[in-house]
Amino acid sequence: MITITKDIEARFNANPLYSKDGQGKKAEVIAKFYMPFTEACWLITEASKDGDDWLLFGYCHIFEWEFGYVRLSEIMELNIKGITAQIDTQIPKGYTIKDCLKTILFAED
């Protein structure tokens, strides 16, 4: 289950959409979401409040790695036979997309 803590919300607010434009894989990851037992993974680098939801941007993997947008509500609604998306709270501050990819078994080189 995903719980958006005050710390994560502060990270989201401090990294609005387009704030890391052009940084590519050198952009700092502010949150990592994943689906256990799958390769689905979202390395979020930017976020902006959109009503009661958040519009997120980052480097994501469903079928392949690509940069893109996703709503937090879409990640939170995922449910595969009772398995829901999780948030990785162990990402060190300052970790970039490139750093995170080194720790993911199915990640590209």
Side-chain angles (χ1 to χ4, degrees), residues 15-84:
N15 295 277
L17 293 178
Y18 313 110
S19 63
K20 297 179 182 171
D21 199 23
Q23 292 184 16
K25 294 180 186 173
K26 293 179 183 176
E28 180 181 357
V29 174
I30 58 173
K32 175 187 173 187
F33 300 99
Y34 65 96
M35 279 294 290
F37 312 110
T38 74
E39 292 186 356
C41 181
W42 298 264
L43 302 175
I44 303 304
T45 59
E46 303 169 6
S48 286
K49 191 79 167 161
D50 187 20
D52 292 336
D53 205 353
W54 287 92
L55 182 58
L56 311 173
F57 180 81
Y59 200 54
C60 310
H61 185 275
I62 303 298
F63 299 110
E64 63 184 355
W65 285 102
E66 62 185 342
F67 284 97
Y69 294 89
V70 64
R71 293 193 178 281
L72 179 59
S73 61
E74 293 174 320
I75 297 172
M76 293 177 80
E77 290 170 359
L78 291 172
N79 187 322
I80 302 171
K81 296 184 179 185
I83 297 172
T84 59

Side-chain angles (χ1 to χ4, degrees), residues 78-98:
L78 291 172
N79 187 322
I80 302 171
K81 296 184 179 185
I83 297 172
T84 59
Q86 303 292 310
I87 187 166
D88 183 347
T89 58
Q90 303 302 312
I91 299 226
K93 188 174 175 101
Y95 246 43
T96 65
I97 292 171
K98 192 172 183 176

